[in-house]
Amino acid sequence: MHHYAPRDPVAEFWQGRITLRKLRVMVEGLPPDGALARAASRSPWTATQYQLAELLDRVGRMETDFRNANRSEKAPQQPYPEPVWRPGDPTPKQKAKAERRTARAARQGYQRLVAIATPQYAETR
């Protein structure tokens, strides 16, 4: 509980210098974006960082909407930008690996269907 440094409220409780009620009040008074709150939510990000990521996503979508609304009629429509990465989202490497796995499974499924539909084709392979 570095929030209360140099004090150690847990040690003070076990030494009998503060009551359980006082320790509870101190724990409840910890900041909502502190280390304890991040550990409890199992996320390294604070609420403010999640809000900033959401804000960046919304500004990007609004900018794209503005550009698409004001583009010439012959210009192609711009796609929305990729959302900002957040903890728990797959990394680009993980996304690519999942896409390769999906493509491999689709290819194997196609080959099974071809083998069932055309047995003579499967025997010549």
Side-chain angles (χ1 to χ4, degrees), residues 88-105:
D89 289 352
T91 63
K93 277 186 175 181
Q94 291 170 330
K95 281 184 183 177
K97 187 175 180 180
E99 288 171 1
R100 285 192 304 270
R101 199 173 329 137
T102 302
R104 189 178 325 115

